């Protein structure tokens, strides 16, 4: 069973940048598709971005396309979410999750993921 630990959240002004990290234990190349999700108070959890375990293909929510970039460093067992041009509406608790099944196309639905980290808070405010 993989364990996931997120880091990199914090407070940033609108227009600023943050890079979130998702470090996985017992993580080998091709083991897991990784997704980033977020949940704001009073709102449903939504998929933000994902990267597939075999092909490395990515998907993004329309709301973050062109601003967020997901990448993975298999040697470091870490997946990153680079967030640029942050907006107040990006404020949420961000989670990463692991899916051992999807290989070439990564899902954006949380129900497809088996393992979840504890999350990290991102607050965008002036």
């Amino acid at each position: 069973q993989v364990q996931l630990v997120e880091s990199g959240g914090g407070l940033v002004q609108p227009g600023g940048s943050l890079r979130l990290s998702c470090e996985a234990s017992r993580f080998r190349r091709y083991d897991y598709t990784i997704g980033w999700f977020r949940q704001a108070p009073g709102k449903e959890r939504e998929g933000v971005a994902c990267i597939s375990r075999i092909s490395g293909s990515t998907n993004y929510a329309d709301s973050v396309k062109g601003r967020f970039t997901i990448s993975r460093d298999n040697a470091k067992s870490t997946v990153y979410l680079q967030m640029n041009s942050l907006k107040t509406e990006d404020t949420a608790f961000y989670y990463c999750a692991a899916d051992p099944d999807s290989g070439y196309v990564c899902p954006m639905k949380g129900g497809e993921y088996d393992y979840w980290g504890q999350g990290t808070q991102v607050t965008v405010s002036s």
Side-chain angles (χ1 to χ4, degrees):
Q1 179 174 339
V2 66
Q3 293 179 325
L4 305 170
V5 179
E6 301 94 335
S7 61
L11 173 64
V12 64
Q13 292 185 342
S17 298
L18 282 175
R19 188 177 77 161
L20 303 183
S21 299
C22 173
E23 185 173 359
S25 66
R26 292 187 285 277
F27 179 96
R28 297 170 301 180
R29 191 176 183 183
Y30 303 137
D31 272 359
Y32 297 99
T33 284
I34 300 293
W36 281 99
F37 296 81
R38 66 186 181 186
Q39 187 165 20
K43 294 187 177 180
E44 292 187 355
R45 183 180 63 194
E46 65 170 336
V48 177
C50 62
I51 186 165
S52 65
R53 64 185 179 91
I54 295 178
S55 67
S57 64
T58 58
N59 280 322
Y60 295 92
D62 289 342
S63 59
V64 307
K65 282 181 181 177
R67 300 189 298 122
F68 290 12
T69 303
I70 189 170
S71 61
R72 65 192 303 158
D73 185 336
N74 290 324
K76 295 183 178 180
S77 300
T78 301
V79 171
Y80 303 99
L81 184 67
Q82 178 67 44
M83 305 186 296
N84 299 328
S85 302
L86 283 161
K87 305 176 180 180
T88 55
E89 52 263 43
D90 294 317
T91 296
F93 212 73
Y94 284 71
Y95 302 87
C96 66
D99 167 20
D101 298 322
S102 303
Y104 295 91
V105 179
C106 59
M108 291 286 278
K109 294 183 178 180
E112 300 291 328
Y113 291 79
D114 295 338
Y115 308 104
W116 292 79
Q118 295 300 307
T120 185
Q121 176 68 41
V122 171
T123 302
V124 185
S125 175
S126 55

PDB file of all heavy atoms in Angstrom, residues 88-121:
ATOM      1  N   THR A  88      -8.046  33.859  -6.491  1.00  0.00           N
ATOM      2  CA  THR A  88      -8.678  33.631  -5.185  1.00  0.00           C
ATOM      3  C   THR A  88      -9.536  32.369  -5.205  1.00  0.00           C
ATOM      4  O   THR A  88      -9.646  31.670  -4.199  1.00  0.00           O
ATOM      5  CB  THR A  88      -9.537  34.837  -4.777  1.00  0.00           C
ATOM      6  OG1 THR A  88     -10.484  35.120  -5.822  1.00  0.00           O
ATOM      7  CG2 THR A  88      -8.669  36.073  -4.554  1.00  0.00           C
ATOM      8  N   GLU A  89     -10.106  32.073  -6.363  1.00  0.00           N
ATOM      9  CA  GLU A  89     -10.952  30.879  -6.461  1.00  0.00           C
ATOM     10  C   GLU A  89     -10.167  29.580  -6.443  1.00  0.00           C
ATOM     11  O   GLU A  89     -10.746  28.494  -6.424  1.00  0.00           O
ATOM     12  CB  GLU A  89     -11.851  30.935  -7.699  1.00  0.00           C
ATOM     13  CG  GLU A  89     -11.130  31.222  -8.993  1.00  0.00           C
ATOM     14  CD  GLU A  89     -11.199  32.689  -9.374  1.00  0.00           C
ATOM     15  OE1 GLU A  89     -11.019  33.556  -8.479  1.00  0.00           O
ATOM     16  OE2 GLU A  89     -11.413  32.973 -10.568  1.00  0.00           O
ATOM     17  N   ASP A  90      -8.841  29.652  -6.478  1.00  0.00           N
ATOM     18  CA  ASP A  90      -8.016  28.455  -6.326  1.00  0.00           C
ATOM     19  C   ASP A  90      -7.836  28.072  -4.862  1.00  0.00           C
ATOM     20  O   ASP A  90      -7.273  27.013  -4.559  1.00  0.00           O
ATOM     21  CB  ASP A  90      -6.638  28.673  -6.950  1.00  0.00           C
ATOM     22  CG  ASP A  90      -6.696  28.843  -8.451  1.00  0.00           C
ATOM     23  OD1 ASP A  90      -7.434  28.088  -9.115  1.00  0.00           O
ATOM     24  OD2 ASP A  90      -5.987  29.745  -8.978  1.00  0.00           O
ATOM     25  N   THR A  91      -8.307  28.907  -3.957  1.00  0.00           N
ATOM     26  CA  THR A  91      -8.200  28.606  -2.541  1.00  0.00           C
ATOM     27  C   THR A  91      -8.963  27.332  -2.211  1.00  0.00           C
ATOM     28  O   THR A  91     -10.152  27.210  -2.500  1.00  0.00           O
ATOM     29  CB  THR A  91      -8.753  29.778  -1.700  1.00  0.00           C
ATOM     30  OG1 THR A  91      -7.930  30.932  -1.916  1.00  0.00           O
ATOM     31  CG2 THR A  91      -8.779  29.421  -0.220  1.00  0.00           C
ATOM     32  N   ALA A  92      -8.271  26.365  -1.620  1.00  0.00           N
ATOM     33  CA  ALA A  92      -8.873  25.074  -1.304  1.00  0.00           C
ATOM     34  C   ALA A  92      -7.855  24.217  -0.573  1.00  0.00           C
ATOM     35  O   ALA A  92      -6.679  24.578  -0.468  1.00  0.00           O
ATOM     36  CB  ALA A  92      -9.328  24.368  -2.582  1.00  0.00           C
ATOM     37  N   PHE A  93      -8.333  23.084  -0.099  1.00  0.00           N
ATOM     38  CA  PHE A  93      -7.450  22.055   0.438  1.00  0.00           C
ATOM     39  C   PHE A  93      -7.119  21.130  -0.724  1.00  0.00           C
ATOM     40  O   PHE A  93      -8.023  20.637  -1.395  1.00  0.00           O
ATOM     41  CB  PHE A  93      -8.150  21.296   1.566  1.00  0.00           C
ATOM     42  CG  PHE A  93      -7.217  20.823   2.630  1.00  0.00           C
ATOM     43  CD1 PHE A  93      -6.663  21.707   3.525  1.00  0.00           C
ATOM     44  CD2 PHE A  93      -6.894  19.482   2.730  1.00  0.00           C
ATOM     45  CE1 PHE A  93      -5.793  21.277   4.511  1.00  0.00           C
ATOM     46  CE2 PHE A  93      -6.028  19.040   3.720  1.00  0.00           C
ATOM     47  CZ  PHE A  93      -5.469  19.933   4.616  1.00  0.00           C
ATOM     48  N   TYR A  94      -5.848  20.925  -0.949  1.00  0.00           N
ATOM     49  CA  TYR A  94      -5.402  20.140  -2.098  1.00  0.00           C
ATOM     50  C   TYR A  94      -4.902  18.770  -1.640  1.00  0.00           C
ATOM     51  O   TYR A  94      -4.114  18.667  -0.695  1.00  0.00           O
ATOM     52  CB  TYR A  94      -4.280  20.867  -2.842  1.00  0.00           C
ATOM     53  CG  TYR A  94      -4.780  22.014  -3.690  1.00  0.00           C
ATOM     54  CD1 TYR A  94      -5.256  23.180  -3.107  1.00  0.00           C
ATOM     55  CD2 TYR A  94      -4.774  21.929  -5.078  1.00  0.00           C
ATOM     56  CE1 TYR A  94      -5.729  24.233  -3.878  1.00  0.00           C
ATOM     57  CE2 TYR A  94      -5.235  22.975  -5.862  1.00  0.00           C
ATOM     58  CZ  TYR A  94      -5.712  24.120  -5.253  1.00  0.00           C
ATOM     59  OH  TYR A  94      -6.175  25.158  -6.036  1.00  0.00           O
ATOM     60  N   TYR A  95      -5.346  17.743  -2.346  1.00  0.00           N
ATOM     61  CA  TYR A  95      -4.971  16.367  -2.048  1.00  0.00           C
ATOM     62  C   TYR A  95      -4.335  15.730  -3.280  1.00  0.00           C
ATOM     63  O   TYR A  95      -4.738  16.026  -4.407  1.00  0.00           O
ATOM     64  CB  TYR A  95      -6.200  15.532  -1.700  1.00  0.00           C
ATOM     65  CG  TYR A  95      -7.022  16.009  -0.543  1.00  0.00           C
ATOM     66  CD1 TYR A  95      -8.037  16.938  -0.726  1.00  0.00           C
ATOM     67  CD2 TYR A  95      -6.810  15.490   0.735  1.00  0.00           C
ATOM     68  CE1 TYR A  95      -8.808  17.368   0.333  1.00  0.00           C
ATOM     69  CE2 TYR A  95      -7.587  15.911   1.810  1.00  0.00           C
ATOM     70  CZ  TYR A  95      -8.573  16.843   1.599  1.00  0.00           C
ATOM     71  OH  TYR A  95      -9.345  17.255   2.648  1.00  0.00           O
ATOM     72  N   CYS A  96      -3.401  14.812  -3.058  1.00  0.00           N
ATOM     73  CA  CYS A  96      -2.988  13.947  -4.149  1.00  0.00           C
ATOM     74  C   CYS A  96      -3.490  12.534  -3.850  1.00  0.00           C
ATOM     75  O   CYS A  96      -3.735  12.174  -2.694  1.00  0.00           O
ATOM     76  CB  CYS A  96      -1.474  13.974  -4.360  1.00  0.00           C
ATOM     77  SG  CYS A  96      -0.477  13.282  -3.025  1.00  0.00           S
ATOM     78  N   ALA A  97      -3.670  11.771  -4.911  1.00  0.00           N
ATOM     79  CA  ALA A  97      -4.219  10.432  -4.787  1.00  0.00           C
ATOM     80  C   ALA A  97      -3.553   9.522  -5.813  1.00  0.00           C
ATOM     81  O   ALA A  97      -3.074   9.992  -6.858  1.00  0.00           O
ATOM     82  CB  ALA A  97      -5.728  10.465  -5.000  1.00  0.00           C
ATOM     83  N   ALA A  98      -3.552   8.223  -5.528  1.00  0.00           N
ATOM     84  CA  ALA A  98      -2.876   7.239  -6.376  1.00  0.00           C
ATOM     85  C   ALA A  98      -3.860   6.196  -6.876  1.00  0.00           C
ATOM     86  O   ALA A  98      -4.691   5.683  -6.117  1.00  0.00           O
ATOM     87  CB  ALA A  98      -1.742   6.568  -5.610  1.00  0.00           C
ATOM     88  N   ASP A  99      -3.730   5.895  -8.151  1.00  0.00           N
ATOM     89  CA  ASP A  99      -4.567   4.898  -8.809  1.00  0.00           C
ATOM     90  C   ASP A  99      -3.649   3.838  -9.417  1.00  0.00           C
ATOM     91  O   ASP A  99      -2.875   4.147 -10.326  1.00  0.00           O
ATOM     92  CB  ASP A  99      -5.403   5.582  -9.893  1.00  0.00           C
ATOM     93  CG  ASP A  99      -6.064   4.611 -10.843  1.00  0.00           C
ATOM     94  OD1 ASP A  99      -6.209   3.422 -10.488  1.00  0.00           O
ATOM     95  OD2 ASP A  99      -6.448   5.044 -11.951  1.00  0.00           O
ATOM     96  N   PRO A 100      -3.716   2.584  -8.966  1.00  0.00           N
ATOM     97  CA  PRO A 100      -2.798   1.564  -9.476  1.00  0.00           C
ATOM     98  C   PRO A 100      -3.229   0.955 -10.811  1.00  0.00           C
ATOM     99  O   PRO A 100      -2.479   0.174 -11.401  1.00  0.00           O
ATOM    100  CB  PRO A 100      -2.832   0.501  -8.369  1.00  0.00           C
ATOM    101  CG  PRO A 100      -4.201   0.642  -7.776  1.00  0.00           C
ATOM    102  CD  PRO A 100      -4.544   2.101  -7.849  1.00  0.00           C
ATOM    103  N   ASP A 101      -4.422   1.306 -11.301  1.00  0.00           N
ATOM    104  CA  ASP A 101      -4.975   0.622 -12.470  1.00  0.00           C
ATOM    105  C   ASP A 101      -4.812   1.390 -13.781  1.00  0.00           C
ATOM    106  O   ASP A 101      -4.354   0.818 -14.774  1.00  0.00           O
ATOM    107  CB  ASP A 101      -6.459   0.325 -12.234  1.00  0.00           C
ATOM    108  CG  ASP A 101      -6.663  -0.601 -11.051  1.00  0.00           C
ATOM    109  OD1 ASP A 101      -5.836  -1.528 -10.884  1.00  0.00           O
ATOM    110  OD2 ASP A 101      -7.612  -0.394 -10.280  1.00  0.00           O
ATOM    111  N   SER A 102      -5.202   2.648 -13.797  1.00  0.00           N
ATOM    112  CA  SER A 102      -5.162   3.418 -15.041  1.00  0.00           C
ATOM    113  C   SER A 102      -3.729   3.537 -15.536  1.00  0.00           C
ATOM    114  O   SER A 102      -2.853   3.943 -14.796  1.00  0.00           O
ATOM    115  CB  SER A 102      -5.755   4.810 -14.812  1.00  0.00           C
ATOM    116  OG  SER A 102      -7.065   4.725 -14.309  1.00  0.00           O
ATOM    117  N   GLY A 103      -3.508   3.183 -16.812  1.00  0.00           N
ATOM    118  CA  GLY A 103      -2.147   3.169 -17.316  1.00  0.00           C
ATOM    119  C   GLY A 103      -1.838   4.256 -18.313  1.00  0.00           C
ATOM    120  O   GLY A 103      -0.782   4.885 -18.249  1.00  0.00           O
ATOM    121  N   TYR A 104      -2.751   4.487 -19.255  1.00  0.00           N
ATOM    122  CA  TYR A 104      -2.453   5.392 -20.358  1.00  0.00           C
ATOM    123  C   TYR A 104      -3.286   6.667 -20.348  1.00  0.00           C
ATOM    124  O   TYR A 104      -2.852   7.682 -20.878  1.00  0.00           O
ATOM    125  CB  TYR A 104      -2.651   4.658 -21.687  1.00  0.00           C
ATOM    126  CG  TYR A 104      -1.669   3.535 -21.865  1.00  0.00           C
ATOM    127  CD1 TYR A 104      -1.964   2.237 -21.447  1.00  0.00           C
ATOM    128  CD2 TYR A 104      -0.410   3.780 -22.428  1.00  0.00           C
ATOM    129  CE1 TYR A 104      -1.046   1.221 -21.595  1.00  0.00           C
ATOM    130  CE2 TYR A 104       0.511   2.761 -22.578  1.00  0.00           C
ATOM    131  CZ  TYR A 104       0.180   1.482 -22.163  1.00  0.00           C
ATOM    132  OH  TYR A 104       1.100   0.473 -22.306  1.00  0.00           O
ATOM    133  N   VAL A 105      -4.446   6.613 -19.762  1.00  0.00           N
ATOM    134  CA  VAL A 105      -5.287   7.799 -19.618  1.00  0.00           C
ATOM    135  C   VAL A 105      -5.651   7.942 -18.151  1.00  0.00           C
ATOM    136  O   VAL A 105      -6.178   7.005 -17.551  1.00  0.00           O
ATOM    137  CB  VAL A 105      -6.569   7.684 -20.469  1.00  0.00           C
ATOM    138  CG1 VAL A 105      -7.443   8.914 -20.272  1.00  0.00           C
ATOM    139  CG2 VAL A 105      -6.217   7.515 -21.938  1.00  0.00           C
ATOM    140  N   CYS A 106      -5.352   9.092 -17.568  1.00  0.00           N
ATOM    141  CA  CYS A 106      -5.604   9.244 -16.136  1.00  0.00           C
ATOM    142  C   CYS A 106      -7.003   9.806 -15.896  1.00  0.00           C
ATOM    143  O   CYS A 106      -7.447  10.717 -16.594  1.00  0.00           O
ATOM    144  CB  CYS A 106      -4.539  10.130 -15.488  1.00  0.00           C
ATOM    145  SG  CYS A 106      -4.414  11.802 -16.162  1.00  0.00           S
ATOM    146  N   PRO A 107      -7.690   9.278 -14.899  1.00  0.00           N
ATOM    147  CA  PRO A 107      -9.049   9.732 -14.597  1.00  0.00           C
ATOM    148  C   PRO A 107      -9.051  10.999 -13.751  1.00  0.00           C
ATOM    149  O   PRO A 107      -8.134  11.244 -12.972  1.00  0.00           O
ATOM    150  CB  PRO A 107      -9.641   8.557 -13.827  1.00  0.00           C
ATOM    151  CG  PRO A 107      -8.472   7.930 -13.159  1.00  0.00           C
ATOM    152  CD  PRO A 107      -7.307   8.124 -14.079  1.00  0.00           C
ATOM    153  N   MET A 108     -10.091  11.785 -13.902  1.00  0.00           N
ATOM    154  CA  MET A 108     -10.240  13.000 -13.114  1.00  0.00           C
ATOM    155  C   MET A 108     -11.306  12.856 -12.035  1.00  0.00           C
ATOM    156  O   MET A 108     -11.659  13.823 -11.374  1.00  0.00           O
ATOM    157  CB  MET A 108     -10.597  14.163 -14.038  1.00  0.00           C
ATOM    158  CG  MET A 108      -9.459  14.568 -14.946  1.00  0.00           C
ATOM    159  SD  MET A 108      -8.174  15.463 -14.053  1.00  0.00           S
ATOM    160  CE  MET A 108      -8.904  17.107 -14.023  1.00  0.00           C
ATOM    161  N   LYS A 109     -11.820  11.638 -11.877  1.00  0.00           N
ATOM    162  CA  LYS A 109     -12.824  11.393 -10.852  1.00  0.00           C
ATOM    163  C   LYS A 109     -12.164  10.761  -9.630  1.00  0.00           C
ATOM    164  O   LYS A 109     -11.453   9.766  -9.739  1.00  0.00           O
ATOM    165  CB  LYS A 109     -13.921  10.484 -11.392  1.00  0.00           C
ATOM    166  CG  LYS A 109     -14.754  11.112 -12.500  1.00  0.00           C
ATOM    167  CD  LYS A 109     -15.862  10.177 -12.936  1.00  0.00           C
ATOM    168  CE  LYS A 109     -16.724  10.832 -14.012  1.00  0.00           C
ATOM    169  NZ  LYS A 109     -17.819   9.931 -14.445  1.00  0.00           N
ATOM    170  N   GLY A 110     -12.467  11.314  -8.472  1.00  0.00           N
ATOM    171  CA  GLY A 110     -11.833  10.828  -7.264  1.00  0.00           C
ATOM    172  C   GLY A 110     -12.129   9.374  -6.942  1.00  0.00           C
ATOM    173  O   GLY A 110     -11.308   8.682  -6.342  1.00  0.00           O
ATOM    174  N   GLY A 111     -13.294   8.897  -7.380  1.00  0.00           N
ATOM    175  CA  GLY A 111     -13.667   7.519  -7.101  1.00  0.00           C
ATOM    176  C   GLY A 111     -12.771   6.485  -7.750  1.00  0.00           C
ATOM    177  O   GLY A 111     -12.790   5.316  -7.359  1.00  0.00           O
ATOM    178  N   GLU A 112     -11.970   6.897  -8.721  1.00  0.00           N
ATOM    179  CA  GLU A 112     -11.065   5.980  -9.410  1.00  0.00           C
ATOM    180  C   GLU A 112      -9.762   5.766  -8.643  1.00  0.00           C
ATOM    181  O   GLU A 112      -8.959   4.923  -9.005  1.00  0.00           O
ATOM    182  CB  GLU A 112     -10.740   6.532 -10.799  1.00  0.00           C
ATOM    183  CG  GLU A 112     -11.956   6.717 -11.697  1.00  0.00           C
ATOM    184  CD  GLU A 112     -12.554   5.391 -12.118  1.00  0.00           C
ATOM    185  OE1 GLU A 112     -11.805   4.415 -12.263  1.00  0.00           O
ATOM    186  OE2 GLU A 112     -13.786   5.345 -12.303  1.00  0.00           O
ATOM    187  N   TYR A 113      -9.548   6.550  -7.610  1.00  0.00           N
ATOM    188  CA  TYR A 113      -8.284   6.509  -6.884  1.00  0.00           C
ATOM    189  C   TYR A 113      -8.442   5.751  -5.575  1.00  0.00           C
ATOM    190  O   TYR A 113      -9.441   5.911  -4.866  1.00  0.00           O
ATOM    191  CB  TYR A 113      -7.785   7.935  -6.637  1.00  0.00           C
ATOM    192  CG  TYR A 113      -7.348   8.601  -7.919  1.00  0.00           C
ATOM    193  CD1 TYR A 113      -8.275   9.141  -8.802  1.00  0.00           C
ATOM    194  CD2 TYR A 113      -5.998   8.668  -8.267  1.00  0.00           C
ATOM    195  CE1 TYR A 113      -7.880   9.723 -10.004  1.00  0.00           C
ATOM    196  CE2 TYR A 113      -5.588   9.262  -9.449  1.00  0.00           C
ATOM    197  CZ  TYR A 113      -6.536   9.782 -10.311  1.00  0.00           C
ATOM    198  OH  TYR A 113      -6.136  10.354 -11.496  1.00  0.00           O
ATOM    199  N   ASP A 114      -7.434   4.967  -5.250  1.00  0.00           N
ATOM    200  CA  ASP A 114      -7.507   4.102  -4.077  1.00  0.00           C
ATOM    201  C   ASP A 114      -6.830   4.672  -2.840  1.00  0.00           C
ATOM    202  O   ASP A 114      -7.209   4.329  -1.716  1.00  0.00           O
ATOM    203  CB  ASP A 114      -6.869   2.742  -4.394  1.00  0.00           C
ATOM    204  CG  ASP A 114      -7.632   1.980  -5.459  1.00  0.00           C
ATOM    205  OD1 ASP A 114      -8.830   2.273  -5.648  1.00  0.00           O
ATOM    206  OD2 ASP A 114      -7.040   1.086  -6.088  1.00  0.00           O
ATOM    207  N   TYR A 115      -5.807   5.472  -3.039  1.00  0.00           N
ATOM    208  CA  TYR A 115      -5.007   5.942  -1.909  1.00  0.00           C
ATOM    209  C   TYR A 115      -4.951   7.469  -1.935  1.00  0.00           C
ATOM    210  O   TYR A 115      -4.777   8.071  -3.000  1.00  0.00           O
ATOM    211  CB  TYR A 115      -3.592   5.353  -1.980  1.00  0.00           C
ATOM    212  CG  TYR A 115      -3.580   3.860  -2.127  1.00  0.00           C
ATOM    213  CD1 TYR A 115      -3.294   3.263  -3.349  1.00  0.00           C
ATOM    214  CD2 TYR A 115      -3.877   3.044  -1.040  1.00  0.00           C
ATOM    215  CE1 TYR A 115      -3.298   1.890  -3.493  1.00  0.00           C
ATOM    216  CE2 TYR A 115      -3.884   1.665  -1.170  1.00  0.00           C
ATOM    217  CZ  TYR A 115      -3.602   1.098  -2.406  1.00  0.00           C
ATOM    218  OH  TYR A 115      -3.618  -0.267  -2.529  1.00  0.00           O
ATOM    219  N   TRP A 116      -5.030   8.057  -0.734  1.00  0.00           N
ATOM    220  CA  TRP A 116      -5.097   9.509  -0.612  1.00  0.00           C
ATOM    221  C   TRP A 116      -4.119  10.012   0.438  1.00  0.00           C
ATOM    222  O   TRP A 116      -3.875   9.353   1.446  1.00  0.00           O
ATOM    223  CB  TRP A 116      -6.515   9.938  -0.219  1.00  0.00           C
ATOM    224  CG  TRP A 116      -7.506   9.689  -1.295  1.00  0.00           C
ATOM    225  CD1 TRP A 116      -8.095   8.492  -1.611  1.00  0.00           C
ATOM    226  CD2 TRP A 116      -8.013  10.649  -2.235  1.00  0.00           C
ATOM    227  NE1 TRP A 116      -8.942   8.657  -2.682  1.00  0.00           N
ATOM    228  CE2 TRP A 116      -8.916   9.966  -3.080  1.00  0.00           C
ATOM    229  CE3 TRP A 116      -7.797  12.007  -2.428  1.00  0.00           C
ATOM    230  CZ2 TRP A 116      -9.597  10.606  -4.118  1.00  0.00           C
ATOM    231  CZ3 TRP A 116      -8.477  12.640  -3.449  1.00  0.00           C
ATOM    232  CH2 TRP A 116      -9.358  11.947  -4.280  1.00  0.00           C
ATOM    233  N   GLY A 117      -3.578  11.191   0.185  1.00  0.00           N
ATOM    234  CA  GLY A 117      -2.769  11.854   1.179  1.00  0.00           C
ATOM    235  C   GLY A 117      -3.632  12.662   2.122  1.00  0.00           C
ATOM    236  O   GLY A 117      -4.862  12.705   1.989  1.00  0.00           O
ATOM    237  N   GLN A 118      -2.975  13.325   3.087  1.00  0.00           N
ATOM    238  CA  GLN A 118      -3.689  14.111   4.097  1.00  0.00           C
ATOM    239  C   GLN A 118      -4.039  15.506   3.606  1.00  0.00           C
ATOM    240  O   GLN A 118      -4.884  16.176   4.195  1.00  0.00           O
ATOM    241  CB  GLN A 118      -2.841  14.208   5.367  1.00  0.00           C
ATOM    242  CG  GLN A 118      -2.636  12.868   6.051  1.00  0.00           C
ATOM    243  CD  GLN A 118      -3.940  12.237   6.471  1.00  0.00           C
ATOM    244  OE1 GLN A 118      -4.749  12.862   7.155  1.00  0.00           O
ATOM    245  NE2 GLN A 118      -4.170  10.998   6.051  1.00  0.00           N
ATOM    246  N   GLY A 119      -3.389  15.972   2.580  1.00  0.00           N
ATOM    247  CA  GLY A 119      -3.732  17.251   1.987  1.00  0.00           C
ATOM    248  C   GLY A 119      -2.891  18.400   2.489  1.00  0.00           C
ATOM    249  O   GLY A 119      -2.201  18.313   3.512  1.00  0.00           O
ATOM    250  N   THR A 120      -2.959  19.502   1.745  1.00  0.00           N
ATOM    251  CA  THR A 120      -2.256  20.720   2.113  1.00  0.00           C
ATOM    252  C   THR A 120      -3.114  21.914   1.718  1.00  0.00           C
ATOM    253  O   THR A 120      -3.756  21.898   0.660  1.00  0.00           O
ATOM    254  CB  THR A 120      -0.864  20.781   1.438  1.00  0.00           C
ATOM    255  OG1 THR A 120      -0.151  21.925   1.901  1.00  0.00           O
ATOM    256  CG2 THR A 120      -0.955  20.829  -0.079  1.00  0.00           C
ATOM    257  N   GLN A 121      -3.130  22.930   2.558  1.00  0.00           N
ATOM    258  CA  GLN A 121      -3.987  24.081   2.330  1.00  0.00           C
ATOM    259  C   GLN A 121      -3.307  25.091   1.413  1.00  0.00           C
ATOM    260  O   GLN A 121      -2.139  25.442   1.609  1.00  0.00           O
ATOM    261  CB  GLN A 121      -4.339  24.764   3.653  1.00  0.00           C
ATOM    262  CG  GLN A 121      -5.160  26.026   3.519  1.00  0.00           C
ATOM    263  CD  GLN A 121      -6.566  25.757   3.025  1.00  0.00           C
ATOM    264  OE1 GLN A 121      -7.213  24.792   3.444  1.00  0.00           O
ATOM    265  NE2 GLN A 121      -7.076  26.623   2.146  1.00  0.00           N
TER     266      GLN A 121
END
